[in-house]
Amino acid sequence: MTVGLNLNDKKAVVAEVSAQIAEAQTIVLAEYRGIQVGDMTQLRAAARENGVYMRVLKNTLARRAVEGTAFADLASEMTGPLVYSISKDAVAAAKVVQDFAKRNDSLVIRGGNYAGKMLDKAGVAALASIPSREVLLSQLMGVMLAPVSGFARGLAALATKKEAEAAA
């Protein structure tokens, strides 16, 4: 026998999820029917490592949490046993769920929402394929440093050439 949440517990859950949604850029919904407990534990661990808030919620409570937000359109997709992945990082939630779904057929991506725009399964996959913020920043730094390091190598080569000429 399962005991349902009382009203205060429900309000607390809605408040907690609403706080996560207020700072979120992305929410991904996935159906978890048939997933083994150990696999779900691995999914949650991957979510934690990537800064993704992941929770199985009653859909009615999730609908209340998204009410009046940029994610309100997701309410129509909230049916069945769903795990909600919410992230401040634009791609983290999509990447965690997509990577896990590749390895486990029991997790079925239903859709998502990025910055108020609805995403279907293909949209979530496209979002997941974007490099993370850290990767993009490191690529940008590489591009910015390339001219400086090239200039430094040129000066070093010129100095070596002058030294060789002076020694000769």
Side-chain angles (χ1 to χ4, degrees):
M1 180 176 130
T2 60
V3 177
L5 298 173
N6 68 31
L7 184 60
N8 288 336
D9 291 341
K10 289 177 183 177
K11 285 180 181 177
V13 168
V14 170
E16 178 185 330
V17 175
S18 294
Q20 293 292 327
I21 289 172
E23 298 179 359
Q25 287 192 51
T26 306
I27 298 178
V28 176
L29 308 178
E31 195 170 313
Y32 64 92
R33 189 176 288 143
I35 291 185
Q36 303 294 322
V37 173
D39 292 337
M40 190 62 141
T41 302
Q42 290 175 353
L43 175 59
R44 288 175 194 245
R48 260 192 312 278
E49 287 172 16
N50 290 287
V52 176
Y53 175 83
M54 182 172 279
R55 185 149 183 191
V56 173
L57 294 167
K58 286 185 171 275
N59 294 326
T60 53
L61 299 180
R63 281 188 206 104
R64 275 203 191 107
V66 298
E67 220 170 71
T69 69
F71 304 105
D73 292 345
L74 271 178
S76 62
E77 300 292 321
M78 295 177 180
T79 58
L82 297 176
V83 62
Y84 294 84
S85 303
I86 303 168
S87 66
K88 296 175 191 174
D89 182 305
V91 298
K95 197 174 285 290
V96 166
V97 174
Q98 179 71 22
D99 289 349
F100 187 82
K102 285 179 189 173
R103 298 186 315 271
N104 191 320
D105 294 340
S106 298
L107 187 73
V108 179
I109 297 171
R110 293 272 297 275
N113 190 308
Y114 165 66
K117 294 176 183 66
M118 290 294 291
L119 302 171
D120 59 2
K121 186 176 181 174
V124 172
L127 187 62
S129 68
I130 296 171
S132 70
R133 182 176 190 272
E134 289 77 20
V135 171
L136 290 173
L137 287 174
S138 66
Q139 289 174 346
L140 177 64
M141 289 304 294
V143 168
M144 291 171 63
L145 290 176
V148 174
S149 59
F151 181 69
R153 281 193 298 273
L155 283 178
L158 182 62
T160 304
K161 182 179 175 187
K162 293 285 186 187
E163 287 174 5
E165 288 175 358

